[in-house]
Amino acid sequence: MVSFIGQYWLKVITVLISIALFWAGDHHGAMQANNAWRIKWAQRDRDDANALAQRQAQERAEEHRRQRAADAERKQADEERASAQADADAAKRAGDKLHKSVAELRNSLARSETGKLSALAAERAAREKAGILLADLLRESDAAAGEYAKEADRAYTAGRSCERTYDAVTGVKTVKK
């Protein structure tokens, strides 16, 4: 009976050792698999972090390029505005000179008394008044035309600046008609 009980415990111990060895081997294999996955995930995380850093650097570079393009366009627009303002100032000086000449002519016509004695004096006075009226009309229309031209230049410069900024920032050339 002792040998039967001894053999029984020997078999139980053998089975328990086998189970323990099997569990240890399985646990060791699972740990190796987990470590392999941890290494793969760590590599994936490093690759993702590197890709993110590279993408952010590219986006920063693109933003800097766009800002430089916008700054260059702003500088060009300022130069165009200054040129348009200089042209407007020159036109205003020429208009002022014309207005002065018209005013002198009008005053000269108004002071003219050489024809008051004749029958043609009434006709001449009517012509003088018509000349004065036309001179005033010319002065007013010239002033209005100057204002319209100044506003048109400003709008044109702003529109072209906007268009060039868009082209520079997006890299797309707008179609000109």
Side-chain angles (χ1 to χ4, degrees):
M1 186 92 160
V2 175
S3 74
F4 178 69
I5 293 178
Q7 287 179 352
Y8 173 75
W9 282 111
L10 184 62
K11 288 180 183 180
V12 169
I13 290 173
T14 305
V15 168
L16 288 175
I17 290 175
S18 296
I19 290 172
L21 288 175
F22 177 75
W23 179 80
D26 187 48
H27 181 68
H28 178 70
M31 285 181 58
Q32 284 181 335
N34 284 342
N35 285 339
W37 277 107
R38 280 189 196 117
I39 290 170
K40 286 180 183 179
W41 278 104
Q43 182 61 41
R44 182 197 58 91
D45 290 345
R46 278 191 300 276
D47 292 345
D48 286 350
N50 289 339
L52 176 64
Q54 185 177 8
R55 189 171 56 250
Q56 287 174 340
Q58 289 170 343
E59 289 176 6
R60 274 193 299 276
E62 177 62 15
E63 183 60 30
H64 288 293
R65 182 196 68 77
R66 288 178 179 175
Q67 188 60 49
R68 283 190 305 273
D71 290 345
E73 178 48 43
R74 189 174 306 113
K75 181 180 177 185
Q76 184 177 353
D78 288 344
E79 290 170 359
E80 287 178 3
R81 266 193 298 279
S83 174
Q85 185 61 45
D87 291 346
D89 291 344
K92 182 163 178 24
R93 283 190 302 275
D96 289 345
K97 189 175 181 181
L98 176 65
H99 294 182
K100 183 177 177 185
S101 297
V102 168
E104 288 173 0
L105 177 63
R106 189 174 96 188
N107 289 337
S108 172
L109 289 174
R111 285 191 308 258
S112 174
E113 297 189 22
T114 57
K116 287 186 178 178
L117 299 176
S118 69
L120 298 175
E123 181 182 342
R124 183 165 182 159
R127 284 185 189 166
E128 288 174 6
K129 287 182 182 179
I132 291 170
L133 178 65
L134 289 174
D136 288 344
L137 183 62
L138 175 64
R139 181 183 49 78
E140 291 174 10
S141 66
D142 182 54
E147 289 300 315
Y148 294 146
K150 186 176 179 180
E151 181 59 24
D153 286 345
R154 187 206 60 77
Y156 177 77
T157 301
R160 286 290 298 139
S161 174
C162 182
E163 188 176 86
R164 286 189 307 262
T165 300
Y166 176 82
D167 290 347
V169 168
T170 62
V172 176
K173 215 48 165 152
T174 56
V175 177
K176 308 263 188 295
K177 291 185 178 182

